[in-house]
Amino acid sequence: MKKQILSLAVVALLAFTVQSCEKKEPKPADEELTLGNKVDSLTTDIKEVKDSAVTKTEDAAKDVKDATKKAAEDVKAATEKGAKKVENAAKAVKDGTVKTAKEVDAALKK
C-alpha cells in the first residue's frame, strides 16, 4: 500500500513538473493588452514631446518679444536724444546766438 501511494505521489509530481515546464503561448487578450500598453506609452511620449515643443516655442516667442521691446526702447531713446539736439540748435539759431554753419554744427553736437 505504501508503494502504491508513493508511486501515485511520484506520478503526480512528474505530471505537475511537466505541466509547469510546458511553454505556454500568449493569449490573444494578453497580446492586445501589450499592444494597447505600447500605444498608450507612445501616445504619452508624443504628448510629452508636443508639450516640450510648445514650451520651447513660447519661450522663444517671449525672448523675441523682449528683444523687440528693448530695441524699440533704444530707438525711442536715440530719437529723443536726436530731437533734443535739433531743438537746441533751432533755439540757438532763433536766439541769434549762432551765426555760422560751424556754430550750428557745434550746437547740434551739444
Side-chain angles (χ1 to χ4, degrees), residues 2-66:
K2 288 183 181 181
K3 287 185 180 182
Q4 287 177 338
I5 293 174
L6 189 58
S7 295
L8 283 174
V10 169
V11 170
L13 183 61
L14 286 173
F16 178 75
T17 305
V18 169
Q19 270 187 341
S20 64
C21 288
E22 286 180 12
K23 186 174 182 181
K24 295 182 181 179
E25 293 194 24
K27 297 177 185 176
D30 290 344
E31 204 170 278
E32 288 174 13
L33 183 62
T34 301
L35 183 60
N37 289 343
K38 288 180 182 178
V39 170
D40 288 344
S41 177
L42 184 59
T43 302
T44 302
D45 291 347
I46 290 170
K47 285 180 182 176
E48 288 174 1
V49 168
K50 184 186 104 181
D51 292 346
S52 176
V54 167
T55 301
K56 287 179 181 178
T57 303
E58 288 172 346
D59 290 346
K62 185 177 180 288
D63 291 345
V64 169
K65 180 181 174 185
D66 292 345

